[in-house]
Amino acid sequence: MAVLDARNAVPKPVRSIGVIAALSACLMLGACAQVGGGDESGGLFSALTPGAAEPAAAQAPSDPRLATEYWGKEYGKNPRDLDAALAYAQNLRVTGQKREAMAVLQQASIVHGSDKKLAADYGRLALELDQIGVAKKVLAVADDPTNPDWRIVLARGTALAKEGSYREAITFYERAQALNPGHPSVLNNLALAYTMSGEPERGEQLLRQASASGTENAKVRQNLALVLGLQGKYDEATKVASVDLDAAQAKANTALLKKMVKLDGKPMTPSAPDADTWAPAVVATKAPVPVAVTKAAPVAVAKAAAPSAAPMLRASKVETGFGDATGSGKAASLFEAD
């Protein structure tokens, strides 16, 4: 019996979501590289968080490591100083010490829990570390309806997408789109949320728009190739992927995608739901998220294991440059944020 999503009665194709998850696990399109840091949590929704704000200038050194040392001393003098805490945490994040930065922001929130700047940095870093429960609560504090920031709105949508609430995520992505029309990161996330909700044609349209925006974003093109392949448009998927990958890599990716779609059933199509093959997407169990800074486990999503004999897809070496406070620009996983 077909079970429809209670929010808007749009059926969700479990089989195709499973294909996307499995492809992500196989390093499809460089999916395991985190944007803006060395942490790799893996999974479908890694590398979603916006880049941190630029560290405070003041009289601090310009070198990130020296600046981290400087702000660490300032913070040590007075841990209740919000500016010092924010600057110290920002520089810790830039130098790859994300969990240390999280501890500083967590401590600052005890005293300055209602500060929106603190909430923005704390929530976005929590999201980057896959502490979804913390991120959702803190980003809600950071989101100021009287002075909205599209990055915060985008991050709130991403927190929902990470736990599988794609339809709810779309609401926030559309709000971010209204605040910053045509931004590739917003279009990319909105497109993938629609695809995961069973509307790949709508996702394709948005990814084409993002790809044609004039911004060189390899990941948008690779995601477009993925969405095309999920619809059975394999030749076009290979052509799009070949812009950033060599011909052999693009063909190998498409071949594995085609094989997995066949094993999973059939390509995603906008046709009427079938009572035997449609059901709601599996959503991660919402277990309590500890506030303590611990190693966060990747959020569970619907899974479909690739056959053991299937070749591993080659990770893309293309650098995207989005959301990286250091400017190094690393290949990211499916969803993007700035």
Side-chain angles (χ1 to χ4, degrees):
M1 179 178 67
V3 181
L4 302 184
D5 185 288
R7 286 181 290 274
N8 56 6
V10 175
K12 296 181 179 182
V14 172
R15 59 179 190 282
S16 294
I17 292 173
V19 169
I20 299 176
L23 287 171
S24 177
C26 291
L27 304 184
M28 178 71 169
L29 319 177
C32 285
Q34 282 271 32
V35 173
D39 258 354
E40 293 186 3
S41 62
L44 181 59
F45 298 112
S46 60
L48 304 186
T49 53
E54 288 298 317
Q59 63 268 47
S62 58
D63 179 82
R65 298 195 180 279
L66 293 177
T68 302
E69 182 179 348
Y70 171 86
W71 284 113
K73 291 178 180 178
E74 293 297 307
Y75 174 72
K77 294 176 185 176
N78 182 12
R80 298 174 69 91
D81 184 338
L82 179 59
D83 290 337
L86 290 173
Y88 185 34
Q90 288 166 0
N91 280 282
L92 282 169
R93 181 189 179 279
V94 168
T95 56
Q97 302 174 75
K98 296 178 184 179
R99 300 191 182 280
E100 291 81 354
M102 187 71 169
V104 171
L105 294 175
Q106 180 184 2
Q107 187 67 27
S109 71
I110 297 174
V111 180
H112 307 283
S114 62
D115 185 86
K116 293 191 180 300
K117 168 60 178 170
L118 170 61
D121 286 4
Y122 185 11
R124 287 154 65 176
L125 183 56
L127 182 59
E128 188 171 345
L129 294 175
D130 278 338
Q131 296 188 16
I132 308 305
V134 172
K136 288 174 66 177
K137 292 178 182 178
V138 180
L139 288 169
V141 174
D143 192 1
D144 184 356
T146 63
N147 185 28
D149 183 338
W150 70 273
R151 292 176 180 84
I152 300 302
V153 177
L154 185 70
R156 292 190 71 185
T158 293
L160 289 163
K162 274 194 155 188
E163 67 178 14
S165 301
Y166 309 117
R167 282 284 155 188
E168 292 179 51
I170 287 171
T171 301
F172 285 94
Y173 289 149
E174 288 181 337
R175 198 176 137 212
Q177 166 77 338
L179 292 169
N180 191 0
H183 193 284
S185 292
V186 179
L187 292 172
N188 178 79
N189 283 24
L190 182 57
L192 290 167
Y194 272 124
T195 299
M196 297 295 282
S197 297
E199 299 183 67
E201 287 194 335
R202 198 165 183 177
E204 176 188 338
Q205 181 182 11
L206 288 166
L207 286 169
R208 288 189 186 280
Q209 183 181 343
S211 182
S213 65
T215 302
E216 286 298 319
N217 187 354
K219 189 170 70 62
V220 169
R221 288 190 293 272
Q222 296 305 310
N223 287 342
L224 174 57
L226 175 60
V227 172
L228 287 168
L230 288 171
Q231 297 176 80
K233 302 176 181 180
Y234 302 118
D235 290 343
E236 189 174 4
T238 302
K239 182 178 180 181
V240 171
S242 296
V243 173
D244 304 297
L245 306 176
D246 63 46
Q249 287 177 324
K251 288 180 180 178
N253 284 359
T254 303
L256 183 52
L257 174 58
K258 185 175 182 179
K259 181 177 182 179
M260 294 180 73
V261 168
K262 283 184 176 179
L263 288 172
D264 202 43
K266 56 185 177 182
M268 296 177 75
T269 65
S271 58
D274 183 291
D276 295 325
T277 56
W278 293 80
V282 176
V283 177
T285 301
K286 298 180 181 178
V289 179
V291 177
V293 182
T294 57
K295 184 174 180 59
V299 175
V301 295
K303 298 179 181 179
S308 58
M312 294 291 284
L313 291 172
R314 300 176 180 84
S316 169
K317 300 298 183 182
V318 177
E319 296 184 351
T320 67
F322 274 111
D324 188 351
T326 66
S328 63
K330 298 181 180 180
S333 69
L334 296 179
F335 281 71
E336 179 70 69
D338 208 337

